[in-house]
Amino acid sequence: MWNDFKDRRDAEGQIKKEGRLPPGQSLTLKFPVLHYGPVPHYPNLDKWIFRITGLVEEERTWNWVQFNQLPRRKVTLDLHCVTRWSKFDMEWEGVHLQDLIEAGLLKIKPEAKFCIQHCAYGYTTNTSLDAVLSDNFLLATHYDGHTLEPEHGYPLRGLMGAIPGQKAETDRYLWKGGKWLEGLEFTAEDHPGFWENAGYSNTANVWREERYWTGR
Ligand SMILES: Nc1nc2c(c(=O)[nH]1)N[C@H]1C(S)=C(S)[C@@H](COP(=O)(O)O)O[C@H]1N2
Ligand SMILES: [Mo]
Protein backbone atom coordinates (compact mmCIF):
# COMPACT_ATOMS: atom_id res chain seq x y z
CA MET A 1 0.00 0.00 0.00
CA TRP A 2 2.62 2.50 1.17
CA ASN A 3 4.91 1.33 -1.62
CA ASP A 4 2.26 1.80 -4.27
CA PHE A 5 1.61 5.29 -3.01
CA LYS A 6 5.29 6.14 -2.95
CA ASP A 7 5.78 4.80 -6.50
CA ARG A 8 2.85 6.82 -7.71
CA ARG A 9 4.08 9.98 -6.08
CA ASP A 10 7.61 9.47 -7.41
CA ALA A 11 6.32 8.83 -10.92
CA GLU A 12 4.14 11.93 -10.74
CA GLY A 13 7.08 14.06 -9.60
CA GLN A 14 9.15 12.86 -12.54
CA ILE A 15 6.37 13.46 -15.09
CA LYS A 16 5.76 16.90 -13.64
CA LYS A 17 9.43 17.75 -13.98
CA GLU A 18 9.23 16.75 -17.64
CA GLY A 19 6.34 19.19 -18.10
CA ARG A 20 3.92 16.42 -19.06
CA LEU A 21 1.33 16.76 -16.29
CA PRO A 22 -1.47 19.09 -17.42
CA PRO A 23 -2.87 21.55 -14.86
CA GLY A 24 -5.23 20.01 -12.32
CA GLN A 25 -4.32 16.38 -13.23
CA SER A 26 -2.74 13.66 -11.13
CA LEU A 27 -0.92 10.55 -12.23
CA THR A 28 -2.53 7.14 -11.90
CA LEU A 29 -0.85 3.76 -12.27
CA LYS A 30 -4.24 2.09 -12.75
CA PHE A 31 -6.40 2.16 -15.86
CA PRO A 32 -9.78 3.45 -14.68
CA VAL A 33 -12.95 2.69 -16.66
CA LEU A 34 -15.33 5.54 -17.41
CA HIS A 35 -18.40 5.76 -19.59
CA TYR A 36 -22.14 6.24 -19.53
CA GLY A 37 -24.39 3.18 -19.80
CA PRO A 38 -23.73 -0.55 -20.23
CA VAL A 39 -20.71 -2.17 -21.91
CA PRO A 40 -21.73 -3.53 -25.31
CA HIS A 41 -20.47 -7.05 -26.01
CA TYR A 42 -19.32 -8.40 -29.35
CA PRO A 43 -19.22 -12.19 -29.03
CA ASN A 44 -18.40 -12.41 -32.71
CA LEU A 45 -17.45 -9.75 -35.21
CA ASP A 46 -19.13 -11.28 -38.30
CA LYS A 47 -21.68 -8.48 -38.41
CA TRP A 48 -19.39 -5.69 -37.26
CA ILE A 49 -19.17 -2.85 -39.78
CA PHE A 50 -17.19 0.36 -39.70
CA ARG A 51 -18.56 3.27 -41.72
CA ILE A 52 -16.96 6.43 -43.04
CA THR A 53 -19.64 8.87 -44.10
CA GLY A 54 -20.32 12.54 -44.81
CA LEU A 55 -17.97 14.88 -46.65
CA VAL A 56 -15.65 12.33 -48.25
CA GLU A 57 -15.10 11.57 -51.94
CA GLU A 58 -16.34 8.02 -51.39
CA GLU A 59 -18.17 6.70 -48.35
CA ARG A 60 -16.64 3.49 -47.00
CA THR A 61 -17.85 0.42 -45.16
CA TRP A 62 -15.32 -2.06 -43.86
CA ASN A 63 -16.10 -5.33 -42.13
CA TRP A 64 -13.78 -6.63 -39.41
CA VAL A 65 -11.59 -8.62 -41.80
CA GLN A 66 -11.22 -5.63 -44.12
CA PHE A 67 -10.57 -3.26 -41.22
CA ASN A 68 -7.69 -5.45 -40.08
CA GLN A 69 -6.08 -5.24 -43.51
CA LEU A 70 -5.77 -1.44 -43.29
CA PRO A 71 -2.34 0.09 -42.65
CA ARG A 72 -1.55 0.07 -38.92
CA ARG A 73 0.70 1.94 -36.51
CA LYS A 74 1.88 1.80 -32.95
CA VAL A 75 1.60 4.99 -30.94
CA THR A 76 2.70 5.85 -27.41
CA LEU A 77 0.19 8.18 -25.76
CA ASP A 78 -0.44 9.97 -22.49
CA LEU A 79 -4.16 9.97 -21.65
CA HIS A 80 -5.86 12.71 -19.66
CA CYS A 81 -9.33 12.20 -18.24
CA VAL A 82 -11.43 15.20 -17.28
CA THR A 83 -12.08 13.51 -13.90
CA ARG A 84 -8.41 14.43 -13.21
CA TRP A 85 -6.48 11.21 -13.70
CA SER A 86 -3.72 10.97 -16.27
CA LYS A 87 -1.97 7.81 -17.41
CA PHE A 88 1.38 8.02 -19.16
CA ASP A 89 3.41 6.20 -21.82
CA MET A 90 0.63 3.87 -22.90
CA GLU A 91 1.34 1.68 -25.93
CA TRP A 92 -1.49 1.53 -28.42
CA GLU A 93 -1.90 0.04 -31.85
CA GLY A 94 -4.45 0.67 -34.55
CA VAL A 95 -5.31 2.63 -37.64
CA HIS A 96 -4.35 6.25 -38.22
CA LEU A 97 -6.32 8.49 -40.60
CA GLN A 98 -3.16 9.96 -42.12
CA ASP A 99 -2.12 6.47 -43.23
CA LEU A 100 -5.53 5.91 -44.83
CA ILE A 101 -5.19 9.22 -46.67
CA GLU A 102 -1.71 8.34 -47.83
CA ALA A 103 -2.87 4.93 -49.08
CA GLY A 104 -5.66 6.61 -51.06
CA LEU A 105 -8.31 4.90 -48.94
CA LEU A 106 -9.73 8.12 -47.53
CA LYS A 107 -10.30 11.40 -49.34
CA ILE A 108 -11.80 14.08 -47.15
CA LYS A 109 -13.52 16.93 -48.98
CA PRO A 110 -12.19 20.44 -48.36
CA GLU A 111 -15.59 21.52 -46.96
CA ALA A 112 -15.19 19.10 -44.04
CA LYS A 113 -14.26 20.95 -40.88
CA PHE A 114 -15.37 18.52 -38.14
CA CYS A 115 -15.37 14.81 -37.41
CA ILE A 116 -18.07 13.05 -35.45
CA GLN A 117 -17.24 9.68 -33.90
CA HIS A 118 -20.29 7.39 -33.86
CA CYS A 119 -20.35 4.62 -31.26
CA ALA A 120 -22.57 1.84 -29.95
CA TYR A 121 -25.91 2.95 -28.44
CA GLY A 122 -25.80 6.25 -30.34
CA TYR A 123 -22.95 7.78 -28.31
CA THR A 124 -21.14 10.45 -30.28
CA THR A 125 -18.28 12.82 -29.68
CA ASN A 126 -17.13 15.66 -31.92
CA THR A 127 -13.83 17.36 -32.68
CA SER A 128 -12.39 19.66 -35.28
CA LEU A 129 -10.95 17.87 -38.30
CA ASP A 130 -7.37 18.79 -37.37
CA ALA A 131 -7.73 16.89 -34.09
CA VAL A 132 -8.52 13.53 -35.72
CA LEU A 133 -5.77 14.06 -38.32
CA SER A 134 -3.16 14.78 -35.66
CA ASP A 135 -0.59 12.25 -34.46
CA ASN A 136 -2.36 12.01 -31.09
CA PHE A 137 -5.59 10.48 -32.45
CA LEU A 138 -5.83 6.76 -33.21
CA LEU A 139 -8.50 4.21 -34.10
CA ALA A 140 -7.20 1.71 -31.59
CA THR A 141 -7.65 -2.07 -31.54
CA HIS A 142 -4.81 -2.97 -29.14
CA TYR A 143 -3.41 -1.74 -25.86
CA ASP A 144 -0.15 -3.06 -24.43
CA GLY A 145 0.00 -5.78 -27.07
CA HIS A 146 -3.48 -7.14 -26.43
CA THR A 147 -6.90 -6.64 -27.98
CA LEU A 148 -8.92 -4.12 -25.98
CA GLU A 149 -10.82 -5.18 -22.88
CA PRO A 150 -14.61 -4.93 -23.40
CA GLU A 151 -14.88 -2.06 -20.90
CA HIS A 152 -12.11 -0.13 -22.67
CA GLY A 153 -13.87 -0.29 -26.04
CA TYR A 154 -13.40 -3.71 -27.70
CA PRO A 155 -13.18 -4.16 -30.63
CA LEU A 156 -12.37 -0.57 -31.64
CA ARG A 157 -12.13 2.80 -29.96
CA GLY A 158 -11.19 6.32 -30.84
CA LEU A 159 -8.30 7.50 -28.72
CA MET A 160 -7.45 11.13 -28.17
CA GLY A 161 -4.33 11.57 -26.08
CA ALA A 162 -1.03 13.41 -26.12
CA ILE A 163 2.27 12.36 -27.66
CA PRO A 164 4.73 12.22 -24.73
CA GLY A 165 6.83 15.34 -24.54
CA GLN A 166 5.08 17.16 -27.40
CA LYS A 167 2.55 19.67 -26.17
CA ALA A 168 0.09 20.02 -29.03
CA GLU A 169 -2.89 22.28 -29.61
CA THR A 170 -4.83 19.08 -30.42
CA ASP A 171 -4.20 17.40 -27.02
CA ARG A 172 -7.73 16.77 -25.72
CA TYR A 173 -9.34 15.10 -22.75
CA LEU A 174 -10.05 11.43 -23.17
CA TRP A 175 -13.81 11.67 -23.66
CA LYS A 176 -12.95 12.89 -27.18
CA GLY A 177 -12.21 9.25 -27.97
CA GLY A 178 -15.34 7.15 -28.40
CA LYS A 179 -15.26 3.56 -27.16
CA TRP A 180 -17.05 0.86 -29.23
CA LEU A 181 -16.48 3.04 -32.27
CA GLU A 182 -18.60 2.17 -35.32
CA GLY A 183 -18.00 5.04 -37.68
CA LEU A 184 -16.66 8.47 -38.50
CA GLU A 185 -18.71 11.22 -40.09
CA PHE A 186 -17.05 14.25 -41.66
CA THR A 187 -19.14 17.41 -41.52
CA ALA A 188 -19.04 21.11 -42.36
CA GLU A 189 -20.85 21.99 -39.17
CA ASP A 190 -20.12 20.99 -35.62
CA HIS A 191 -22.44 18.56 -33.80
CA PRO A 192 -21.75 18.49 -30.06
CA GLY A 193 -21.87 14.92 -28.74
CA PHE A 194 -22.97 13.16 -25.57
CA TRP A 195 -20.64 14.68 -22.95
CA GLU A 196 -20.53 18.02 -24.76
CA ASN A 197 -24.33 18.20 -24.43
CA ALA A 198 -24.00 17.19 -20.78
CA GLY A 199 -21.98 20.31 -19.98
CA TYR A 200 -18.41 19.38 -20.90
CA SER A 201 -16.22 21.60 -23.05
CA ASN A 202 -16.58 21.49 -26.80
CA THR A 203 -12.87 21.99 -27.37
CA ALA A 204 -11.45 20.09 -24.35
CA ASN A 205 -7.83 21.32 -24.59
CA VAL A 206 -5.94 19.73 -21.67
CA TRP A 207 -3.20 22.39 -21.39
CA ARG A 208 -5.74 25.20 -21.18
CA GLU A 209 -7.83 23.08 -18.81
CA GLU A 210 -11.00 23.35 -20.90
CA ARG A 211 -13.17 21.03 -18.81
CA TYR A 212 -16.64 22.52 -18.88
CA TRP A 213 -18.84 24.15 -21.49
CA THR A 214 -18.51 27.90 -21.44
CA GLY A 215 -20.10 28.52 -24.84
CA ARG A 216 -18.34 28.01 -28.14
N1 LIG B 1 -19.02 5.05 -26.23
C1 LIG B 1 -18.53 5.79 -25.23
N2 LIG B 1 -17.24 6.16 -25.29
C2 LIG B 1 -16.70 6.91 -24.30
C3 LIG B 1 -17.50 7.32 -23.18
C4 LIG B 1 -18.86 6.92 -23.16
O1 LIG B 1 -19.62 7.25 -22.24
N3 LIG B 1 -19.33 6.13 -24.19
N4 LIG B 1 -16.92 8.06 -22.19
C5 LIG B 1 -15.68 8.78 -22.48
C6 LIG B 1 -15.01 9.20 -21.26
S1 LIG B 1 -15.80 10.36 -20.34
C7 LIG B 1 -13.75 8.75 -20.92
S2 LIG B 1 -12.90 9.46 -19.64
C8 LIG B 1 -13.09 7.64 -21.66
C9 LIG B 1 -12.63 6.59 -20.69
O2 LIG B 1 -11.96 5.55 -21.31
P1 LIG B 1 -11.52 4.28 -20.45
O3 LIG B 1 -12.76 3.73 -19.79
O4 LIG B 1 -10.87 3.34 -21.38
O5 LIG B 1 -10.57 4.80 -19.40
O6 LIG B 1 -13.98 7.07 -22.62
C10 LIG B 1 -14.71 7.99 -23.37
N5 LIG B 1 -15.40 7.28 -24.40
MO1 LIG C 1 -14.27 11.18 -18.82
Side-chain angles (χ1 to χ4, degrees), residues 31-37 79-83 85 92 119-120 123-125 151-153 157-159 173-181 194-195:
F31 189 4
V33 172
L34 258 142
H35 55 264
Y36 176 80
L79 300 188
H80 307 297
C81 177
V82 72
T83 61
W85 58 264
W92 296 90
C119 304
Y123 177 95
T124 64
T125 186
E151 61 271 29
H152 287 298
R157 75 175 299 169
L159 202 59
Y173 289 111
L174 184 54
W175 87 81
K176 293 292 188 179
K179 301 195 283 190
W180 315 295
L181 186 65
F194 179 83
W195 290 110

Side-chain angles (χ1 to χ4, degrees), residues 100-168:
L100 298 183
I101 292 170
E102 222 159 274
L105 295 166
L106 173 63
K107 290 188 182 124
I108 302 168
K109 290 186 175 171
E111 308 91 89
K113 297 286 180 272
F114 299 92
C115 180
I116 316 300
Q117 298 168 53
H118 289 268
C119 304
Y121 303 133
Y123 177 95
T124 64
T125 186
N126 58 306
T127 65
S128 56
L129 181 62
D130 67 324
V132 293
L133 296 181
S134 68
D135 288 345
N136 50 296
F137 180 74
L138 188 70
L139 308 175
T141 56
H142 288 68
Y143 165 58
D144 208 12
H146 301 282
T147 54
L148 302 178
E149 300 292 331
E151 61 271 29
H152 287 298
Y154 175 86
L156 179 71
R157 75 175 299 169
L159 202 59
M160 188 76 75
I163 302 284
Q166 296 177 16
K167 276 190 192 176

